[in-house]
Amino acid sequence: KAGVTQTPRYLIKTRGQQVTLSCSPISGHRSVSWYQQTPGQGLQFLFEYFSETQRNKGNFPGRFSGRQFSNSRSEMNVSTLELGDSALYLCASSFGDRGGNEQFFGPGTRLTVL
Amino acid sequence: AQSVTQLGSHVSVSEGALVLLRCNYSSSVPPYLFWYVQYPNQGLQLLLKYTSAATLVKGINGFEAEFKKSETSFHLTKPSAHMSDAAEYFCAVTSDTGGENKLTFGTGTQLKVEL
């Protein structure tokens, strides 16, 4: 069974630009969650999508948004990039039908904002 | 609100020695607890999870963890460290509130294994 895939793996942008990251979950999984990992703040929850609906949202500004498609693939978008948005962005997929579901992570997208 | 505290941001052990990585949690509802490992430039790999079925949980690569409700702890252990265990380890908590899938992570423990 294929794992979670994320594209692109690496991205370099400049301040003020916007970026879109993509995540393809494990087949059969309906939940996709996004996390930001930085050396200073650690792993922080961005949002979760389940069956094309945002089910949960972390404490991030509105510049961070996402969506999920009918095939469960998800994208997240960051507009008006800031230097502090440089991070590893991880997505995780699960069946999503209960809180104890195992979440499986992709390899991440490393975003560098110059 | 839920939270996780990992004691010791860096732990160093000799190859063949016991590995003990500490995790304490705070949750107002019965928690689900997880340990993940992250190797450099990679995502997180699930080591094991606790979902109330048994307090001693066995995971992959010889790791196990024991859930102690009285101590609100979920420490990760491995009897004999191997060089390949060197990585960063994260403890995480979530709960079954309306199917919520949000993981709250600890700050991580970097494990170093020395010859």
Side-chain angles (χ1 to χ4, degrees):
Chain A
K1 192 182 241 187
V4 179
T5 58
Q6 292 187 245
T7 56
R9 291 293 311 278
Y10 302 91
L11 209 48
I12 299 175
K13 293 286 186 179
T14 57
R15 280 181 300 173
Q17 288 187 309
Q18 75 166 16
V19 67
T20 299
L21 312 182
S22 181
C23 173
S24 292
I26 292 170
S27 178
H29 285 186
R30 295 164 63 192
S31 168
V32 173
S33 298
W34 289 88
Y35 295 84
Q36 181 196 64
Q37 185 177 27
T38 60
Q41 299 298 317
L43 281 154
Q44 293 187 287
F45 173 79
L46 280 156
F47 30 65
E48 181 210 0
Y49 285 86
F50 179 76
S51 294
E52 301 179 67
T53 301
Q54 187 180 86
R55 185 161 67 174
N56 208 345
K57 188 177 188 305
N59 189 26
F60 278 82
R63 300 186 296 107
F64 292 81
S65 63
R67 59 178 176 168
Q68 186 179 34
F69 303 95
S70 58
N71 61 358
S72 293
R73 188 177 70 85
S74 177
E75 290 180 346
M76 68 163 281
N77 184 276
V78 188
S79 63
T80 320
L81 284 166
E82 300 177 359
L83 295 178
D85 298 333
S86 294
L88 180 66
Y89 289 89
L90 295 163
C91 83
S93 80
S94 72
F95 288 110
D97 53 350
R98 51 187 168 83
N101 285 151
E102 298 171 358
Q103 293 194 41
F104 296 89
F105 283 78
T109 294
R110 173 77 62 185
L111 172 64
T112 302
V113 182
L114 303 176
Chain B
Q2 298 172 318
S3 67
V4 173
T5 301
Q6 290 186 242
L7 296 174
S9 58
H10 292 81
V11 170
S12 183
V13 300
S14 300
E15 190 174 35
L18 171 72
V19 175
L20 171 59
L21 305 182
R22 300 178 186 274
C23 171
N24 288 89
Y25 70 92
S26 172
S27 178
S28 58
V29 296
Y32 296 108
L33 295 158
F34 303 83
W35 275 100
Y36 284 87
V37 61
Q38 186 177 35
Y39 297 98
N41 299 315
Q42 295 187 27
L44 302 175
Q45 181 182 10
L46 180 66
L47 280 176
L48 50 79
K49 70 172 185 178
Y50 166 76
T51 56
S52 79
T55 57
L56 182 61
V57 181
K58 294 188 183 299
I60 63 171
N61 301 337
F63 285 94
E64 62 182 38
E66 184 173 8
F67 173 73
K68 292 186 177 181
K69 184 178 180 180
S70 61
E71 299 177 10
T72 61
S73 69
F74 190 57
H75 301 332
L76 182 71
T77 61
K78 182 174 181 178
S80 177
H82 191 274
M83 296 296 289
S84 61
D85 295 327
E88 190 156 24
Y89 292 79
F90 293 93
C91 181
V93 63
T94 187
S95 63
D96 193 8
T97 51
E100 178 180 297
N101 248 357
K102 172 186 173 182
L103 285 171
T104 299
F105 285 90
T107 51
T109 297
Q110 187 73 45
L111 176 65
K112 182 179 180 182
V113 182
E114 300 175 314
L115 287 172

